[in-house]
Amino acid sequence: ASSFRPSSINLFDHIAECLANFLEKLGIKNQKLPLGFTFSFPCQQTKLDESILVSWTKGFKSHGVEGRNVVSLLRKAIIKRGDFDIDIVSVINDTVGTMMTCGYDDHHCEIGLIVGTGTNACYMEEMRHLELVEGDEGRMCVNMEWGAFGDDGALDDLRTDFDQDIDAGSLNPGKQLFEKMISGMYMGELVRLILVKMAKEDLVFQGHTTPDLVTNGQLQTSFVSAIENDKLVVFVCMLRGLGLDPSVEDCVATRRVCQVVSTRAAHLCAATLAAVLRQIRDNKAAERFARRLHKMVRRLVPDCDVRFLRSEDGSGKGAAMVTAVAFRLAIQHAGRQRILDALRLSQEQLLDVKRRMGEEMNRGLAKESHDQATVKMLPTFVRSMPDGTESGEFLALDLGGTNFRVLLVRVRRGKRRSVEMHNKIYAIPQEAMQGTGEELFDHIVHCIADFLEYMGMKGASLPLGFTFSFPCHQSKLDQGILLKWTKGFKATGCEGEDVVTLLKDAIYRREFDLDVVAVVNDTVGTMMTCGYEDPLCEVGLIVGTGTNVCYMEEMQNMELVDGSEGKMCVNMEWGAFGDHGELDDFSTDFDKAVDEHSANPGKQTYEKMISGMYLGEIVRNVLLEFTTKGLLFRGKLSERLKTRGIFETKFLSQIESDRLALRQVRSILQHLGLTSSTCDDSILVKEVCSVVACRAAQLCGAGLAAVVDKIRQNRNLPELKITVGVDGTLYKLHPHFSNFMHETVRDLAPQCKVTFIQSEDGSGKGAALITAVACRIRDAGQC
């Protein structure tokens, strides 16, 4: 055939016209269908629907196409016509099409091989080995373009004079050397050159040649196949067609030449295919194929079983298969992203969260609006941070659950400035948790006495700080009115009472003396612990099972407390932000499902979108939605996944760990009853975990940005340098939560330079430090 030389406009206009005629013939011209484009020329692909032509081959020389995206050229030609519309989903070459066609019939098919006029192969390679493509999860089909194997000299010691003559007379000397040794375009010519040389050396045809025998291209590869397969009388006629008068011996010799040439081609093809098989075998850790290629492949790779399927119209049907798969995946991906987009927050939305948090903070500080505010901004009566002059021995109690701790904290000042701690953990029996308040506090004091005896300090009278992590109203540092029990506590006679008085009464009944100086919550303790190490620390943040913040507010802004000089720590109790609808336009159906089945529906809205107690349940609800819509786990739900609370938040941290392989992610899913989950499922679960955790961190960061910006505005500073002390398992253990949160604070509060330090034992050490500060101020006569 003559070379195709028209411009790219003519070529792709012609293709578009053929498409239009085909669609009209089928009566589907008005439908918008996905199209797969088999383009069997060397191309550079960066994605499935983009292919840059590297160079024309096979006689094509259309101008203006090399170096351009052939998909774009075809799209422009279709748009220019305007009489039909096609969605070009994928562009592939015929080798990939062959693999996809056979893969439709046999799911073990992972290699495509073309051995015809030309030759090429493709196979499924592990992404981690593809350095030209981003990502290391899953696999991708690689178009080898192996016809160029040897162009760098790798086959020089195998190439003969005949191979060199074929190359010298070809359209592309020095290129596609492997293809010229094995493909149909060149095999007949190789036999012809050998016969000419043998005739000239008087080894065949009585030393005679003919014009046809010495003419390029006169001996086709089909002639070689016929000579190998047909009876002697048939190919005698074929040789006579070349003007030769062969003897029986000439026919036998010619057949032998054909056999040697075709056998060498087959063996070379087998050797390279064996290398591909070895690569796949190594990738798959000895996964075997079902049937073997043939004797030479078995000899080269005896530990690989290969099954070959003959492709029927691989370049056409295969392109359609690639398109169908890509179209299905694109629809599923779009469906998943629509669901996840509800959990993704824009910069504008986060700024809105920050603004609303700031408004609620002001409402909580104002006496007139305090009762209606969701962020209560409770005074703690902590008026000062550690200044390094504190010293002495202090007791601390840490009560926040079924276990509690008693601590002895020694604070030293000066050059030996340090904090030394000793502690012992005690259980609280169920009968004490749910009996009378007197029984509960008698048990606590009994444990304090036991601890002092354990430390060899029986009868000692020490200042004591009490970390009491239950909702309280404070009117001074050493008073906390319990508003309500949580966490399973139901001791009678405590709600509405001062827990410090209840503790002092129990101490009095025990007949020993302790000075209860302060009652605090764990957030304030975190701030004080970090403030001891960094004098710029004026904010405490907890992000663990729950979440809360405290910070040093100007007294002039605190209308619930008398006085306007200095500062006081405010316990924000920000977990309730949103309880009056402030976050309704950011809340999703997944949040609503979590809230509906929680122990306190309609309460702690912000906390339920951020904290560790709820994130796993949000993820579980998203996975249920994906699976119900057939977007995950092949649409098959496990009974365990239907169980509320089964997806623990610790799984988020484990799954998102950069060190965790997909195989380990699958083991977590198997624990949830998803025994047939795939690597693709693992990747999707990882994405869901990432989106949910990122949203939580961004919401937390938006709230914190409101806090630090308020401190800056309180002080009329163009720029604020401040440190935030942080505690909580979610912040400390999740691999990406802290980074997402820090980035959000930087973006939303650009005039604040915020440093984050982790607290070590804020609930125990912090209570002792608050007590130490209070004693320092009291001893100095300042309170």
Side-chain angles (χ1 to χ4, degrees):
S2 60
S3 298
F4 204 111
R5 298 176 181 275
S7 70
S8 64
I9 296 175
N10 291 338
L11 172 60
F12 287 95
D13 284 349
H14 175 70
I15 295 172
E17 182 179 354
C18 294
L19 260 175
N21 293 337
F22 178 75
L23 294 171
E24 184 145 8
K25 182 179 178 181
L26 294 178
I28 56 174
K29 198 172 181 181
N30 293 327
Q31 298 182 35
K32 182 175 181 179
L33 298 173
L35 179 140
F37 186 9
T38 299
F39 190 75
S40 301
F41 300 91
C43 288
Q44 174 70 42
Q45 284 193 254
T46 55
K47 48 186 177 180
L48 191 57
D49 62 349
E50 178 179 279
S51 193
I52 311 300
L53 176 64
V54 176
S55 61
W56 281 121
T57 58
K58 308 176 187 178
F60 279 70
K61 295 182 180 178
S62 185
H63 300 301
V65 183
E66 291 181 349
R68 298 181 68 185
N69 179 10
V70 296
V71 175
S72 296
L73 293 173
L74 180 56
R75 279 181 178 144
K76 287 177 182 176
I78 292 171
I79 292 169
K80 186 168 68 172
R81 286 184 61 89
D83 58 342
F84 70 95
D85 193 10
I86 286 288
D87 183 12
I88 305 176
V89 174
S90 63
V91 58
I92 62 169
N93 73 8
D94 51 356
T95 319
V96 181
T98 294
M99 182 188 73
M100 293 298 289
T101 299
C102 296
Y104 184 74
D105 297 319
D106 185 335
H107 295 166
H108 293 99
C109 183
E110 299 186 52
I111 302 175
L113 173 63
I114 298 287
V115 190
T117 306
T119 183
N120 193 15
C122 68
Y123 72 100
M124 297 301 292
E125 177 59 88
E126 302 296 317
M127 283 288 289
R128 65 180 182 273
H129 296 155
L130 294 173
E131 296 184 5
L132 298 180
V133 182
E134 291 185 2
D136 59 2
E137 302 287 358
R139 298 185 297 164
M140 180 182 289
C141 180
V142 170
N143 169 24
M144 293 181 65
E145 290 292 342
W146 77 1
F149 177 44
D151 290 2
D152 60 352
L155 297 176
D156 284 357
D157 52 345
L158 301 179
R159 295 176 68 233
T160 66
D161 293 340
F162 307 114
D163 296 307
Q164 293 173 20
D165 289 343
I166 285 177
D167 178 51
S170 68
L171 292 173
N172 54 348
K175 304 293 184 184
Q176 301 295 104
L177 297 185
F178 184 61
E179 183 171 80
K180 290 170 184 174
M181 296 173 77
I182 71 172
S183 73
M185 181 177 283
Y186 304 98
M187 195 177 296
E189 184 66 7
L190 187 57
V191 169
R192 188 191 67 81
L193 289 173
I194 295 172
L195 291 178
V196 169
K197 183 173 178 62
M198 290 176 70
K200 287 180 179 180
E201 294 182 2
D202 201 20
L203 298 175
V204 291
F205 312 133
Q206 295 84 43
H208 297 304
T209 60
T210 66
D212 285 337
L213 183 62
V214 297
T215 301
N216 287 348
Q218 285 297 307
L219 205 155
Q220 302 293 325
T221 298
S222 58
F223 179 89
V224 177
S225 300
I227 288 176
E228 281 204 74
N229 294 326
D230 290 334
K231 295 180 180 179
L232 188 61
V233 65
V234 176
F235 69 84
V236 166
C237 296
M238 298 177 72
L239 290 173
R240 284 176 177 170
L242 295 173
L244 297 166
D245 185 18
S247 64
V248 173
E249 290 78 8
D250 291 335
C251 291
V252 172
T254 301
R255 172 179 276 176
R256 181 58 182 155
V257 170
C258 291
Q259 288 173 341
V260 169
V261 169
S262 61
T263 299
R264 184 189 75 150
H267 285 186
L268 284 170
C269 185
T272 48
L273 188 58
V276 176
L277 294 168
R278 176 71 68 183
Q279 175 74 3
I280 293 176
R281 176 188 176 278
D282 290 346
N283 286 346
K284 292 191 163 193
E287 179 181 337
R288 297 180 180 275
F289 289 83
R291 295 172 61 183
R292 297 179 180 177
L293 176 61
H294 55 60
K295 183 178 179 181
M296 183 52 63
V297 173
R298 289 198 300 270
R299 187 178 302 166
L300 291 170
V301 279
D303 50 354
C304 286
D305 293 336
V306 186
R307 176 164 50 194
F308 284 89
L309 294 177
R310 180 173 297 172
S311 170
E312 300 297 334
D313 189 23
S315 59
K317 182 180 174 184
M321 293 305 305
V322 172
T323 301
V325 171
F327 196 62
R328 171 176 61 82
L329 293 177
I331 290 173
Q332 290 181 340
H333 177 74
R336 286 189 291 265
Q337 295 313 308
R338 275 194 298 272
I339 293 170
L340 290 179
D341 281 347
L343 292 159
R344 294 188 172 106
L345 298 174
S346 67
Q347 179 89 346
E348 292 72 23
Q349 288 175 310
L350 291 171
L351 282 168
D352 206 14
V353 173
K354 174 191 172 184
R355 177 185 60 78
R356 298 180 194 187
M357 176 67 83
E359 291 172 354
E360 281 303 299
M361 290 171 68
N362 289 329
R363 282 164 52 81
L365 288 170
K367 184 179 293 185
E368 185 177 329
S369 54
H370 173 81
D371 289 343
Q372 291 76 43
T374 55
V375 181
K376 287 302 183 183
M377 308 295 283
L378 302 174
T380 67
F381 297 89
V382 173
R383 300 286 303 273
S384 179
M385 299 294 291
D387 66 3
T389 64
E390 297 83 10
S391 66
E393 292 184 330
F394 306 92
L395 282 178
L397 298 184
D398 179 10
L399 177 62
T402 54
N403 293 325
F404 83 105
R405 292 185 304 157
V406 186
L407 303 94
L408 174 66
V409 181
R410 293 190 175 101
V411 181
R412 296 187 177 91
R413 63 185 173 191
K415 293 182 178 180
R416 299 177 62 199
R417 184 173 181 264
S418 64
V419 177
E420 175 190 334
M421 293 191 299
H422 304 272
N423 73 87
K424 193 172 180 180
I425 298 174
Y426 295 89
I428 298 183
Q430 193 76 8
E431 56 269 21
M433 290 173 60
Q434 301 186 0
T436 66
E438 188 171 299
E439 290 170 341
L440 173 62
F441 282 92
D442 281 347
H443 175 72
I444 290 172
V445 172
H446 170 76
C447 294
I448 295 172
D450 176 79
F451 177 76
L452 288 173
E453 188 168 352
Y454 168 76
M455 293 297 299
M457 302 176 67
K458 184 176 180 180
S461 178
L462 297 173
L464 182 144
F466 189 8
T467 298
F468 189 75
S469 299
F470 298 90
C472 285
H473 173 73
Q474 285 189 262
S475 57
K476 51 185 179 177
L477 185 60
D478 61 351
Q479 182 187 75
I481 308 299
L482 176 63
L483 300 178
K484 62 178 178 180
W485 281 120
T486 59
K487 308 175 189 179
F489 280 73
K490 294 181 180 178
T492 59
C494 297
E495 291 182 350
E497 299 294 329
D498 175 17
V499 295
V500 174
T501 300
L502 294 174
L503 179 61
K504 286 180 175 178
D505 289 346
I507 291 170
Y508 178 78
R509 287 194 296 273
R510 185 78 183 189
E511 297 183 352
F512 69 97
D513 187 25
L514 290 174
D515 181 12
V516 183
V517 174
V519 58
V520 299
N521 74 7
D522 50 359
T523 316
V524 182
T526 293
M527 181 186 73
M528 295 297 284
T529 299
C530 295
Y532 185 75
E533 305 295 335
D534 183 344
L536 290 178
C537 182
E538 296 187 67
V539 182
L541 168 66
I542 299 287
V543 195
T545 307
T547 183
N548 194 18
V549 163
C550 69
Y551 73 100
M552 297 302 290
E553 177 59 88
E554 304 298 319
M555 283 290 293
Q556 62 189 9
N557 296 330
M558 299 182 65
E559 296 182 10
L560 299 181
V561 180
D562 292 336
S564 60
E565 297 295 329
K567 293 179 287 187
M568 180 182 289
C569 179
V570 168
N571 168 24
M572 289 180 62
E573 291 292 344
W574 77 354
F577 177 49
D579 286 2
H580 292 169
E582 301 93 338
L583 296 174
D584 282 1
D585 43 349
F586 306 117
S587 180
T588 67
D589 290 341
F590 311 116
D591 298 304
K592 291 167 186 171
V594 169
D595 177 61
E596 182 182 342
H597 294 101
S598 69
N600 53 346
K603 304 293 183 184
Q604 299 297 102
T605 303
Y606 190 53
E607 183 170 77
K608 288 172 184 172
M609 298 172 79
I610 289 177
S611 72
M613 180 175 285
Y614 304 99
L615 293 191
E617 187 64 7
I618 294 174
V619 168
R620 188 187 69 86
N621 278 278
V622 176
L623 299 184
L624 284 175
E625 178 81 358
F626 274 13
T627 309
T628 302
K629 294 189 173 182
L631 304 174
L632 189 65
F633 305 136
R634 299 185 182 90
K636 297 177 183 177
L637 279 173
S638 77
E639 289 303 316
R640 285 179 66 79
L641 189 60
K642 295 178 185 177
T643 305
R644 284 194 292 274
I646 194 69
F647 200 101
E648 300 173 48
T649 297
K650 69 177 182 181
F651 292 154
L652 270 76
S653 299
Q654 294 170 0
I655 287 171
E656 282 210 74
S657 171
D658 295 328
R659 298 186 300 275
L660 194 67
L662 287 180
R663 190 175 301 166
Q664 293 166 292
V665 176
R666 288 178 70 185
S667 71
I668 292 173
L669 297 180
Q670 287 167 359
H671 167 73
L672 299 174
L674 300 162
T675 54
S676 60
S677 62
T678 65
C679 284
D680 286 341
D681 290 331
S682 298
I683 292 169
L684 294 174
V685 170
K686 196 168 186 176
E687 182 181 11
V688 172
C689 291
S690 177
V691 169
V692 170
C694 179
R695 183 189 72 152
Q698 288 178 326
L699 284 170
C700 186
L704 192 58
V707 173
V708 295
D709 233 8
K710 185 176 192 320
I711 296 172
R712 181 186 65 80
Q713 292 165 7
N714 284 346
R715 301 173 189 179
N716 296 315
L717 296 173
E719 181 177 284
L720 173 70
K721 289 184 178 180
I722 195 167
T723 296
V724 176
V726 194
D727 204 351
T729 52
L730 183 59
Y731 181 89
K732 290 181 175 179
L733 299 182
H734 191 281
H736 306 301
F737 187 97
S738 58
N739 290 334
F740 286 141
M741 189 188 79
H742 298 169
E743 183 180 347
T744 304
V745 174
R746 280 196 302 270
D747 290 345
L748 303 188
Q751 295 170 277
C752 300
K753 305 302 178 186
V754 184
T755 301
F756 294 87
I757 60 174
Q758 290 190 22
S759 168
E760 298 300 330
D761 194 23
S763 57
K765 180 179 175 181
L769 286 170
I770 291 170
T771 302
V773 170
C775 290
R776 167 175 61 80
I777 295 172
R778 183 179 61 188
D779 294 345
Q782 296 180 22
C783 64

